[in-house]
């Protein structure tokens, strides 16, 4: 460990790899709320957060379990799910009167076509302005699940097919039907979330 009179111990959350305080200071002092996207191993959580001196306030929140109410049978942590959650979050932001937000990546690196940017695309389609370079957003075919459906159709071995897509099949959805299912769930969200 470093020693000396000038050594300063980093904040606990920085040492644990949870918070980038330089980025947080810039986002917290902004006029706009933060659009926070946090994917985990099983779910995706999206929050619209505003920062005050006394702490952070969550204005709207959506997680993967909310998609079950719209009949979603696909994966809860997929790119398609991230887009749909971003769509719901954008609609909820509109209800709260929020028109703009800044993306809060946390400690994630900005990777082209990632789930985080799928959620941003969903929020933008719902009318929430989140500044973002258009080149980094995922392609429409990836968001709608066409890439996954094409891959599932290309597998010839039935045992390998069942192994690869056991979660989809258990929930009653064939992977080849994912684009149509995505379209129907997106229509339900647009109709029901005002």
């Amino acid at each position: 460990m470093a020693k000396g009179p000038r050594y300063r111990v980093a904040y606990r959350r920085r040492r644990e790899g949870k918070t980038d305080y330089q980025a947080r200071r810039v986002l917290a002092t902004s006029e706009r709320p933060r659009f926070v996207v946090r994917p985990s191993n099983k779910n995706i959580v999206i929050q619209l957060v505003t920062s005050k001196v006394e702490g952070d306030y969550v204005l709207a929140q959506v997680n993967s379990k909310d998609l079950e109410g719209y009949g979603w049978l696909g994966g809860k942590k997929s790119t398609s799910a991230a887009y749909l959650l971003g769509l719901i979050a954008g609609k909820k932001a509109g209800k709260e009167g929020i028109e703009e937000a800044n993306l809060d990546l946390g400690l994630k690196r900005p990777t082209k076509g990632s789930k985080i940017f799928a959620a941003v695309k969903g929020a933008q389609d719902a009318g929430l302005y989140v500044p973002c370079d258009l080149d980094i957003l995922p392609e429409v075919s990836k968001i709608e699940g066409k890439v996954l459906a094409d891959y599932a159709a290309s597998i010839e071995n039935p045992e390998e097919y069942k192994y690869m897509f056991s979660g989809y099949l258990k929930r009653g959805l064939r992977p080849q039907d994912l684009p149509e299912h995505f379209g129907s769930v997106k229509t339900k969200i647009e109709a029901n979330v005002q």
Side-chain angles (χ1 to χ4, degrees), residues 27 30-36 47-51 59-60 89-104 120 123-124 126-132:
L27 290 169
S30 172
E31 298 284 322
R32 299 176 182 164
R34 293 179 288 140
F35 186 76
V36 181
Q47 295 176 327
L48 282 154
V49 180
T50 185
S51 299
L59 305 173
K91 295 272 188 183
K92 285 188 174 184
K95 273 187 192 177
E96 297 289 329
I98 302 169
E99 297 175 356
E100 300 178 340
N102 290 328
L103 177 61
D104 184 352
V120 169
Q124 287 178 344
L128 179 66
Y129 175 69
V130 181
C132 180

Side-chain angles (χ1 to χ4, degrees), residues 6 33 37 48 50 72 84 91-92 94 99 145 153 159 168 173:
R6 293 185 180 194
V37 182
L48 282 154
T50 185
W72 178 248
L84 294 172
K91 295 272 188 183
K92 285 188 174 184
E99 297 175 356
E159 294 299 321
Y168 284 92
L173 176 67

Side-chain angles (χ1 to χ4, degrees), residues 131-144:
C132 180
D133 188 10
L134 297 178
D135 294 338
I136 205 164
L137 297 175
E139 298 173 6
V140 176
S141 60
K142 186 176 179 184
I143 290 172
E144 292 178 349

Side-chain angles (χ1 to χ4, degrees), residues 54-100:
E54 59 271 13
D56 290 350
Y57 292 95
V58 177
L59 305 173
Q61 177 176 331
V62 182
N63 66 30
S64 297
K65 293 176 185 171
D66 295 338
L67 288 176
E68 293 173 1
Y70 298 100
W72 178 248
L73 299 173
K76 291 184 181 178
K77 60 178 184 172
S78 65
T79 304
S80 302
Y83 174 86
L84 294 172
L85 288 170
L87 190 67
I88 295 170
K91 295 272 188 183
K92 285 188 174 184
K95 273 187 192 177
E96 297 289 329
I98 302 169
E99 297 175 356
E100 300 178 340

Side-chain angles (χ1 to χ4, degrees), residues 10-30:
Y11 292 132
R12 178 184 55 84
R13 289 185 61 85
R14 180 66 229 176
R15 289 192 316 261
E16 293 173 354
K18 294 181 178 177
T19 303
D20 180 359
Y21 282 100
Q22 289 178 333
R24 179 172 166 72
R25 183 176 61 237
V26 171
L27 290 169
T29 57
S30 172

